[in-house]
Amino acid sequence: MGAAAYVGRVGGLAVALGVGSAVFAGHGVAAADDTDSSGSRSSSSATTGGSESTGSERTRRNERTTGERTSSTTDADQDGGADAELDIELPVDDTADEADEIVSDEPEARPERRRAAEATTSESTVTPPEKTRRTVDADVAATTPADDQTTEESADDPAVAPKEPTKVAVFASATELAEASTARFSPDLTETDLSTPDEQTETRRPSLVTAVVNVVHSMLDWARQRADADPASSPQPPFLWALMSFARRELENLFATRSTLSAVDKEARTTTTSLAPAAEDPSDAAVWVPPYSPWLNPQVSRSTNFVSWVTGKYVYSDRRMANTVARYGVYGTDVGVMWDNGMKDDPDTPYNESQVLIAVGDTFSGPNMQGGWRYNTLFRSADRVLSDGIDIPNGEWKNGNMFGGAPLSGEFYARPIINRPYWLPNSVTLIPTAGISVETPDTEFGVTQYVSFMSVSRWGSAGRWTTNYSAIAYSTDNGENFTIAPQSVRYNSIFSGNRNFQQSAFVKGDDGYVYMYGTPNGRQGAAYLARVAPEDILNASKYEYFKKESRGWFGTSPARWTSSSSSASAIIGKDGGACGATKPGNSVSEMSVQYNEYLGKYIVLYGDQFNNIVMRTSDTPEGQWSDVTVLMGQQSGGIYAPMLHPWSPSTNGTGSELYWNLSLWSDYNIMLMRTDLDKL
């Protein structure tokens, strides 16, 4: 690249640093999408549709491990409505009005939540409700600023000191700017529009303007966090020193993104000709950058990269990927547990019965976690080519087909799969944490789907929530309808080992058992192990629990299986003695387990106490589990819930690639990630 380009970048960074210093000193910076009061952009991005306008507002909170402030915010009218620094027109999200018209058919009372940033008008400030939602422990949790947003510190989080609402003008996020140059979501897209590539789908490398804006936005957010640190945190370095250090890291990411990717990645990606620019010689094609990447550099580590979005408003016009707003009324959701439905395709039918089922958690039809809310829902996919994302087919409405993209309650509205029955305690929500299929010859399709879920009774501070029970629901019609088994319920009690199995992960052993890994509610626990015969999976009294070898004054007790859940040993996490908490992988949250043919070992993915996504391996389901390998560190926006894809090449022994779902807090949606096991 020419010297002029580098000079331009340095100049851009200089401007960014100057702007950052000015803002930090208290001087406003005009947002990129400043408009006057008659502009086309609304001053409030949060709307409530249908019956959602009454009662407590459902919101989520975006928190950090250090208990620092929750988000960056934008005020387009600050300092007298100064002119925009960047002459860029940001796309207007016109999906909110239509999405909010969809009202959930769920009669249950809806949970109360706190959004990452409450949208307000310039005349008023929305007071957050008292209850909160599960949060992500992210050091830097980037959010996309709305036109007018006010940030208010969490009043009920003991880790955050109460502060007055503040308004700070910042640049538009890189995500918004990137979307401006790619295909935009439209609820009116037809099937032809979605299946035919056009010029808008050509993917470009991030522009220099986008990159510099992203650097500035990240620097400002980070600098305010460090300057506004919790009183209990250690002294911070001088502001300019810290700002320069952070800027250097961001520029390294910028150069890495705009440079050529590795030969392996390039070869894999240029095979997707519909997304990569055409060229007579593939080596001459521009390096393909995944569309809508939430981070400036989609290659988040040497081994791992972002592939595509699984849910959300994003449109990949040549595939049935994402665009779940128009097709299913799903603007935001999380978790994304995946498993093989255990069926074989019948070539005489017009659809593919062999599918991966994807169970997701709290689901909203509108932005800012508003609109129609559901406890959970489910998606289906028969896509085995994962290098460019997960294809989810359109829904099948009132035609008897149980292999469409999702169970529906309307032509374009996914419905909840698990609701609370009258005989179980009230819940804030019911979130799937694991899924598995088991052959059952006497059923319609010869297989039964099982989903383990947790019943959340209260959301607490970052990474802490309370459950009143966990249970298993089953379906014999490919996830179309589920029934909760009463004998599977595990009430959360300090007097029972069931407290350690409130969240789960399933894997089939080579000995005929189904193994279930469990963790307590929240993100501070370790993982425990139980096993059961497949025919008894719904009966909690039939499980056996693994107790590790122990040594005492009277000799050594060998490892064994016991019928007492209270005797189960922690087999993953909470090790290393007093210094264990300083090591990656010490706490286990939202885990996923598989047998990996490529490695010839069982593998587990989970989030740890530092919000890293880590992997361990073992020759047997119970261990000894290996030391931690960090696949990716914490990222802007907050990451959680790594869920393995059962059809990854490495899982099936056909390659080294491992694919897995990952939830991003700031976008509140699920994305597909790829890890090359040869690069670990």
Side-chain angles (χ1 to χ4, degrees), residues 144-165:
T144 302
D147 300 302
D148 288 298
Q149 290 180 326
T150 299
T151 298
E152 183 170 352
E153 309 301 335
S154 173
D156 57 348
D157 186 352
V160 180
K163 296 184 181 179
E164 292 296 324

Short mmCIF file of all heavy atoms in Angstrom, two decimals, residues 144-165:
data_model
loop_
_atom_site.label_atom_id
_atom_site.label_comp_id
_atom_site.label_asym_id
_atom_site.label_seq_id
_atom_site.Cartn_x
_atom_site.Cartn_y
_atom_site.Cartn_z
N THR A 144 -24.12 -0.02 19.98
CA THR A 144 -24.42 0.83 18.85
C THR A 144 -25.27 1.99 19.31
O THR A 144 -26.39 1.79 19.73
CB THR A 144 -25.17 0.05 17.77
OG1 THR A 144 -24.35 -1.06 17.38
CG2 THR A 144 -25.47 0.93 16.58
N PRO A 145 -24.76 3.21 19.26
CA PRO A 145 -25.53 4.34 19.78
C PRO A 145 -26.73 4.66 18.92
O PRO A 145 -26.66 4.62 17.70
CB PRO A 145 -24.53 5.49 19.77
CG PRO A 145 -23.54 5.10 18.73
CD PRO A 145 -23.47 3.61 18.71
N ALA A 146 -27.83 4.96 19.58
CA ALA A 146 -29.01 5.44 18.86
C ALA A 146 -28.87 6.93 18.66
O ALA A 146 -27.90 7.55 19.04
CB ALA A 146 -30.28 5.09 19.64
N ASP A 147 -29.89 7.56 18.09
CA ASP A 147 -29.80 8.99 17.80
C ASP A 147 -29.74 9.81 19.07
O ASP A 147 -28.98 10.74 19.18
CB ASP A 147 -31.02 9.42 16.97
CG ASP A 147 -31.07 8.66 15.66
OD1 ASP A 147 -30.08 8.78 14.91
OD2 ASP A 147 -32.06 7.98 15.40
N ASP A 148 -30.58 9.51 20.02
CA ASP A 148 -30.57 10.20 21.30
C ASP A 148 -30.66 9.15 22.38
O ASP A 148 -31.69 8.51 22.53
CB ASP A 148 -31.74 11.17 21.43
CG ASP A 148 -31.57 12.38 20.55
OD1 ASP A 148 -30.60 13.12 20.76
OD2 ASP A 148 -32.41 12.58 19.66
N GLN A 149 -29.60 8.95 23.14
CA GLN A 149 -29.61 7.96 24.20
C GLN A 149 -29.04 8.55 25.47
O GLN A 149 -28.13 9.37 25.44
CB GLN A 149 -28.78 6.73 23.81
CG GLN A 149 -29.43 5.91 22.71
CD GLN A 149 -28.58 4.71 22.36
OE1 GLN A 149 -27.35 4.81 22.41
NE2 GLN A 149 -29.21 3.61 22.03
N THR A 150 -29.59 8.12 26.57
CA THR A 150 -29.08 8.55 27.86
C THR A 150 -28.61 7.34 28.62
O THR A 150 -29.33 6.36 28.72
CB THR A 150 -30.17 9.26 28.66
OG1 THR A 150 -30.58 10.41 27.93
CG2 THR A 150 -29.66 9.67 30.03
N THR A 151 -27.40 7.40 29.14
CA THR A 151 -26.87 6.29 29.91
C THR A 151 -27.08 6.54 31.38
O THR A 151 -26.72 7.58 31.90
CB THR A 151 -25.35 6.13 29.64
OG1 THR A 151 -25.18 5.83 28.27
CG2 THR A 151 -24.78 5.02 30.50
N GLU A 152 -27.66 5.55 32.05
CA GLU A 152 -27.86 5.66 33.49
C GLU A 152 -27.20 4.47 34.14
O GLU A 152 -27.36 3.35 33.73
CB GLU A 152 -29.35 5.68 33.81
CG GLU A 152 -29.59 5.87 35.31
CD GLU A 152 -31.05 6.13 35.61
OE1 GLU A 152 -31.81 6.32 34.66
OE2 GLU A 152 -31.42 6.17 36.78
N GLU A 153 -26.41 4.71 35.19
CA GLU A 153 -25.73 3.62 35.87
C GLU A 153 -26.74 2.71 36.53
O GLU A 153 -27.83 3.11 36.91
CB GLU A 153 -24.79 4.20 36.94
CG GLU A 153 -23.85 5.27 36.43
CD GLU A 153 -22.97 4.77 35.30
OE1 GLU A 153 -22.74 3.56 35.23
OE2 GLU A 153 -22.54 5.58 34.50
N SER A 154 -26.37 1.45 36.63
CA SER A 154 -27.25 0.46 37.24
C SER A 154 -27.46 0.77 38.70
O SER A 154 -26.54 0.81 39.49
CB SER A 154 -26.63 -0.92 37.08
OG SER A 154 -27.36 -1.86 37.78
N ALA A 155 -28.72 1.00 39.07
CA ALA A 155 -29.02 1.39 40.44
C ALA A 155 -29.05 0.21 41.38
O ALA A 155 -28.88 0.37 42.58
CB ALA A 155 -30.36 2.11 40.48
N ASP A 156 -29.25 -1.01 40.82
CA ASP A 156 -29.41 -2.14 41.71
C ASP A 156 -28.22 -3.10 41.63
O ASP A 156 -28.29 -4.20 42.11
CB ASP A 156 -30.69 -2.90 41.38
CG ASP A 156 -30.73 -3.34 39.94
OD1 ASP A 156 -29.89 -2.86 39.16
OD2 ASP A 156 -31.58 -4.16 39.61
N ASP A 157 -27.16 -2.73 40.97
CA ASP A 157 -25.98 -3.56 40.86
C ASP A 157 -24.97 -3.12 41.92
O ASP A 157 -24.45 -2.01 41.88
CB ASP A 157 -25.38 -3.41 39.46
CG ASP A 157 -24.23 -4.38 39.25
OD1 ASP A 157 -23.83 -5.02 40.23
OD2 ASP A 157 -23.76 -4.48 38.12
N PRO A 158 -24.64 -3.97 42.88
CA PRO A 158 -23.72 -3.56 43.95
C PRO A 158 -22.32 -3.25 43.45
O PRO A 158 -21.53 -2.62 44.15
CB PRO A 158 -23.71 -4.79 44.87
CG PRO A 158 -24.16 -5.93 44.02
CD PRO A 158 -25.12 -5.34 43.04
N ALA A 159 -22.00 -3.70 42.21
CA ALA A 159 -20.66 -3.44 41.70
C ALA A 159 -20.54 -2.08 41.05
O ALA A 159 -19.46 -1.66 40.68
CB ALA A 159 -20.28 -4.52 40.67
N VAL A 160 -21.65 -1.37 40.88
CA VAL A 160 -21.63 -0.09 40.20
C VAL A 160 -22.11 1.01 41.15
O VAL A 160 -23.20 0.92 41.70
CB VAL A 160 -22.52 -0.11 38.94
CG1 VAL A 160 -22.49 1.24 38.25
CG2 VAL A 160 -22.05 -1.21 38.01
N ALA A 161 -21.30 2.03 41.32
CA ALA A 161 -21.69 3.14 42.19
C ALA A 161 -22.76 3.97 41.51
O ALA A 161 -22.71 4.21 40.31
CB ALA A 161 -20.48 4.01 42.50
N PRO A 162 -23.80 4.43 42.25
CA PRO A 162 -24.85 5.24 41.64
C PRO A 162 -24.28 6.53 41.06
O PRO A 162 -23.44 7.18 41.67
CB PRO A 162 -25.79 5.53 42.82
CG PRO A 162 -25.49 4.48 43.83
CD PRO A 162 -24.03 4.17 43.66
N LYS A 163 -24.74 6.89 39.86
CA LYS A 163 -24.29 8.11 39.22
C LYS A 163 -25.45 8.77 38.50
O LYS A 163 -26.43 8.14 38.17
CB LYS A 163 -23.15 7.81 38.22
CG LYS A 163 -21.92 7.27 38.92
CD LYS A 163 -20.80 7.08 37.94
CE LYS A 163 -19.58 6.52 38.66
NZ LYS A 163 -18.47 6.31 37.76
N GLU A 164 -25.29 10.06 38.26
CA GLU A 164 -26.33 10.80 37.56
C GLU A 164 -26.28 10.45 36.07
O GLU A 164 -25.24 10.16 35.52
CB GLU A 164 -26.10 12.31 37.74
CG GLU A 164 -26.32 12.78 39.17
CD GLU A 164 -27.75 12.58 39.61
OE1 GLU A 164 -28.67 12.73 38.79
OE2 GLU A 164 -27.96 12.26 40.79
N PRO A 165 -27.45 10.46 35.40
CA PRO A 165 -27.45 10.22 33.96
C PRO A 165 -26.60 11.26 33.25
O PRO A 165 -26.59 12.44 33.62
CB PRO A 165 -28.93 10.36 33.58
CG PRO A 165 -29.68 10.14 34.85
CD PRO A 165 -28.78 10.66 35.94
#
